[in-house]
């Protein structure tokens, strides 16, 4: 990374019960950087985010955040250190309004955004203030899911496939949002299948295959590596 490393993952292993899924994931993210984890379905990208967040019960190796080892900490303490996770399934409460959904996560550390500040980042959401979760479009739900974690005060955002299933124009909007969050100083790890989108927002890409990071590609070298990337992703 070109900046001070905020997150360093080294030899991360992870299991679901007896099933050994992560076999030594290693990568780094500097403060204020956006990096992606690219890879096929089942490569271990989501599991990597869950392991960093501490919600994968069995894990080993090393994850340091801001210089502190977190591998043995419970997710509650990891959240308090300033890491937040936005799952692929978004987990919007359908019977609650936009505003109520935003109020749900507690502010776990100082510096969390207020609902007003979140609406500044996502003006569309403000117009939908009192709409129920079920009435939102896929794109609005994704904005809400990202907006909601900003309340916690997290500085490192783990975003799992925010563009999944969204129309191209909405994907562009999410791209602008991520660029804005980067400008505001957030550090982001993004799981992506869509590398055209990844190329627009990220500083660097890590290719995940069978529970390991097998390649690192700086964004400015993405074009030169496009054939290799097609092969990795099987597209
Ligand atoms: P996707 O885009 O499909 O989510 P991914 O790279 O994020 O892909 P993971 O979801 O991390 O992949 O899955 C890695 C492996 O772990 C896969 O073989 C998957 O079948 C397995 N796996 C995922 N979740 C569970 C679970 N809850 N219990 C058991 N195995 C799981």
């Amino acid at each position: 990374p070109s900046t001070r490393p905020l997150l360093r993952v080294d030899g991360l292993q992870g299991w679901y019960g007896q099933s050994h899924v992560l076999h030594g994931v290693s990568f780094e993210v500097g403060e204020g950087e956006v990096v992606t984890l690219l890879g096929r379905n089942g490569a271990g990208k989501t599991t990597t985010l869950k392991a960093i967040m501490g919600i994968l019960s069995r894990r080993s190796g090393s994850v340091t955040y801001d210089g502190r080892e977190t591998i043995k900490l419970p997710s509650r303490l990891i959240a308090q250190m300033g890491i937040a996770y936005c799952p692929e399934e978004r987990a919007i409460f359908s019977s609650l309004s936009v505003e109520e959904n935003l109020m749900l996560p507690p502010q776990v550390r100082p510096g969390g955004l207020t609902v007003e500040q979140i609406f500044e980042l996502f003006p569309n959401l403000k117009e939908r203030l009192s709409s129920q979760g079920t009435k939102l479009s896929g794109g609005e739900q994704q904005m809400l899911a990202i907006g909601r974690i900003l309340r916690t005060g997290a500085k490192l955002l783990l975003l799992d496939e925010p563009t999944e299933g969204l129309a191209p124009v909405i994907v562009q909007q999410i791209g602008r949002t991520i660029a804005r969050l980067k400008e505001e100083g957030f550090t982001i790890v993004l799981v992506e299948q869509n590398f055209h989108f990844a190329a627009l927002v990220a500083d660097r890409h890590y290719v995940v295959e069978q529970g390991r990071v097998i390649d690192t590609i700086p964004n400015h070298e993405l074009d030169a590596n496009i054939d290799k990337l097609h092969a990795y992703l099987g597209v």
Side-chain angles (χ1 to χ4, degrees):
S2 51
T3 54
R4 183 180 77 97
L6 186 62
L7 179 76
R8 181 178 278 148
V9 177
D10 192 17
L12 178 63
Q13 310 227 10
W15 291 259
Y16 293 103
Q18 295 299 310
S19 169
H20 192 178
V21 168
L22 301 181
H23 299 274
V25 173
S26 302
F27 67 97
E28 280 187 354
V29 194
E31 199 162 20
E33 283 189 326
V34 177
V35 306
T36 69
L37 303 180
L38 298 173
R40 300 181 193 216
N41 285 336
K45 306 177 301 291
T46 297
T47 308
T48 298
L49 297 190
K50 288 182 181 172
I52 295 167
M53 196 65 228
I55 54 180
L56 187 72
S57 52
R58 191 167 164 216
R59 57 192 196 276
S60 71
S62 171
V63 176
T64 53
Y65 176 74
D66 214 1
R68 291 162 66 197
E69 181 59 63
T70 67
I71 195 75
K72 292 197 184 315
L73 298 181
S75 55
R76 178 178 53 84
L77 293 184
I78 293 172
Q80 281 173 7
M81 290 169 77
I83 306 180
Y85 169 58
C86 187
E88 186 177 354
E89 58 275 13
R90 297 172 195 151
I92 300 303
F93 291 86
S94 54
S95 61
L96 300 184
S97 70
V98 165
E99 190 172 27
E100 287 164 341
N101 266 286
L102 282 178
M103 294 302 289
L104 267 179
Q107 187 161 0
V108 294
R109 62 199 303 275
L113 302 193
T114 63
V115 170
E116 264 318 305
Q117 288 171 319
I118 294 170
F119 284 146
E120 269 171 44
L121 281 170
F122 302 99
N124 302 22
L125 284 185
K126 185 162 190 177
E127 292 164 26
R128 308 288 263 136
L129 182 72
S130 41
S131 304
Q132 275 188 344
T134 38
K135 303 272 163 58
L136 301 178
S137 68
E140 288 166 338
Q141 287 190 13
Q142 185 61 58
M143 305 278 181
L144 180 53
I146 296 174
R148 188 168 60 180
I149 61 172
L150 303 177
R151 260 188 50 82
T152 61
K155 292 287 172 257
L156 173 65
L157 312 179
L158 310 176
L159 308 182
D160 199 348
E161 285 199 57
T163 64
E164 162 91 70
L166 301 179
V169 54
I170 311 295
V171 169
Q172 279 179 16
Q173 239 179 40
I174 305 269
R176 284 195 293 274
T177 301
I178 289 174
R180 175 80 192 276
L181 291 172
K182 180 180 161 80
E183 276 168 30
E184 302 277 334
F186 289 97
T187 303
I188 298 174
V189 179
L190 187 68
V191 165
E192 259 306 327
Q193 304 253 13
N194 175 348
F195 66 80
H196 297 293
F197 175 77
L200 289 178
V201 297
D203 297 296
R204 194 165 54 258
H205 310 278
Y206 291 101
V207 180
V208 181
E209 199 172 284
Q210 296 184 350
R212 290 182 184 83
V213 170
I214 59 157
D215 206 353
T216 307
I217 306 174
N219 198 47
H220 64 269
E221 291 175 16
L222 201 60
D223 282 345
N225 283 282
I226 211 75
D227 291 340
K228 200 162 81 169
L229 207 57
H230 277 291
Y232 285 145
L233 301 178
V235 289

